[in-house]
Amino acid sequence: MQLLEFVPILVFVAVYYFSDIFVATAALMAAVALQMAVTRILGKPIGQQLKFTFWLTLVFGGLTLALQDRLFIQWKPTIINWGLGTALLVSQYVGERNLIERLLGRQMSLPARAWRTLNIGWAAGFWFAGALNLIVAYNFSEAFWVNYKLIGGFAITLVYLIVTYAYLAAAGYLTDEAIPRSSEQTR
């Protein structure tokens, strides 16, 4: 199921190299719609992030095609990243648990301070990724931006995961007590 999340980006890049950014944008829009349909067919819940991405892709992709202006599709990753970063920051102050704790709380038992640190760290990371996307979009070629969209997005996520792991390890949170084992893992 995780691979399904990357299919639209792969489709966008592949079509771009055989055509242009406008055809690639149309393919991206179709791929995200197909992603929603496959998720529904598989009986999986459609999360807020996928809904957000779907609608932004349709709106910004539609504007890109209607106005023949690539900047709309180039802004889409920034809007998504900044939206996710903002949602994480807002969740820090609304509700009993922030979004990171809600997402990972069943896999790990951490003190409130650690959940806050992770939540703020990931929020800052999303804001950084959004800003970096704009720097690449405005200062490099269209082809470079397309490659960055594919490789840079994965690389940034990998760096965030490594930093998260390093933080948890350095703080001593990667112990057997912090990571509960399911009955299947202990067999």
Side-chain angles (χ1 to χ4, degrees):
M1 189 65 179
Q2 296 287 41
L3 181 61
L4 186 59
E5 294 178 25
F6 301 112
V7 169
I9 294 170
L10 294 172
V11 167
F12 176 80
V13 172
V15 171
Y16 175 80
Y17 280 104
F18 290 105
S19 189
D20 65 19
I21 197 154
F22 301 109
V23 175
T25 297
L28 175 67
M29 293 168 68
V32 171
L34 183 61
Q35 180 185 30
M36 290 276 285
V38 168
T39 301
R40 173 86 59 199
I41 288 167
L42 292 175
K44 303 288 183 184
I46 296 176
Q48 295 301 320
Q49 182 178 345
L50 180 54
K51 290 177 189 175
F52 183 59
T53 301
F54 171 76
W55 287 111
L56 279 178
T57 301
L58 291 185
V59 169
F60 281 78
L63 289 169
T64 297
L65 297 177
L67 301 174
Q68 291 292 290
D69 186 345
R70 66 186 169 96
L71 285 178
F72 288 103
I73 202 65
Q74 288 179 316
W75 264 86
K76 183 192 73 84
T78 294
I79 301 299
I80 289 172
N81 280 306
W82 287 353
L84 292 172
T86 300
L88 288 171
L89 286 178
V90 168
S91 78
Q92 192 71 29
Y93 304 102
V94 176
E96 292 180 24
R97 301 181 308 155
N98 63 46
L99 281 176
I100 295 293
E101 184 177 0
R102 287 183 219 163
L103 291 171
L104 300 176
R106 290 186 177 173
Q107 286 80 28
M108 300 187 75
S109 177
L110 299 174
R113 183 173 148 250
W115 288 120
R116 279 191 305 273
T117 300
L118 289 175
N119 196 65
I120 290 171
W122 276 84
F126 281 121
W127 275 89
F128 171 77
L132 188 56
N133 178 69
L134 291 180
I135 290 168
V136 172
Y138 281 97
N139 294 295
F140 294 90
S141 71
E142 179 181 286
F144 186 90
W145 176 80
V146 169
N147 288 325
Y148 165 77
K149 184 171 170 53
L150 176 65
I151 298 165
F154 294 132
I156 288 172
T157 301
L158 180 60
V159 168
Y160 293 167
L161 291 172
I162 291 168
V163 169
T164 299
Y165 182 83
Y167 164 73
L168 293 172
Y173 295 133
L174 296 180
T175 64
D176 286 340
E177 293 80 34
I179 305 171
R181 300 211 185 274
S182 69
S183 58
E184 292 177 12
Q185 290 176 324
T186 57
R187 290 183 192 182

